Amino acid sequence: VSVLSISQLCNEVASQFLSNTPHVPTIMQLTHQITTLLQHNPSPLLAQASQLYFQALLSPSQQDIINANTNLQQLLTN
């Protein structure tokens, strides 16, 4: 599983949430893709970071989303 592909999908999800008109079907599709990729890459740290990331997406604060995304990106690149 490419770390880059998970990272790109997460960025796409974040950009959907940060746009003025989030497209829920797109977000659900991207989330499903990320989840599927993570199931093939059983890293506890990665799973935890992505869980925090998805929790942040439910937050009204854009900064929470950005922080969680940054955290996930850092784990993916390490």
Side-chain angles (χ1 to χ4, degrees):
V1 172
S2 166
V3 160
L4 187 61
S5 58
I6 296 174
S7 177
Q8 286 171 328
L9 287 168
C10 289
N11 280 336
E12 287 180 51
V13 174
S15 65
Q16 279 290 324
F17 270 90
L18 297 174
S19 75
N20 292 330
T21 53
H23 191 239
V24 173
T26 303
I27 292 167
M28 290 174 69
Q29 181 187 2
L30 289 167
T31 303
H32 176 72
Q33 285 179 270
I34 294 165
T35 307
T36 304
L37 286 172
L38 287 171
Q39 285 171 347
H40 296 286
N41 185 0
S43 159
L45 274 177
L46 201 52
Q48 184 183 17
S50 57
Q51 186 178 7
L52 290 172
Y53 177 73
F54 290 124
Q55 286 172 347
L57 292 179
L58 300 173
S59 162
S61 164
Q62 290 188 348
Q63 192 58 51
D64 285 351
I65 296 171
I66 293 163
N67 291 345
N69 190 37
T70 304
N71 183 34
L72 186 55
Q73 297 284 357
Q74 287 171 341
L75 272 176
L76 289 168
T77 52
N78 288 345

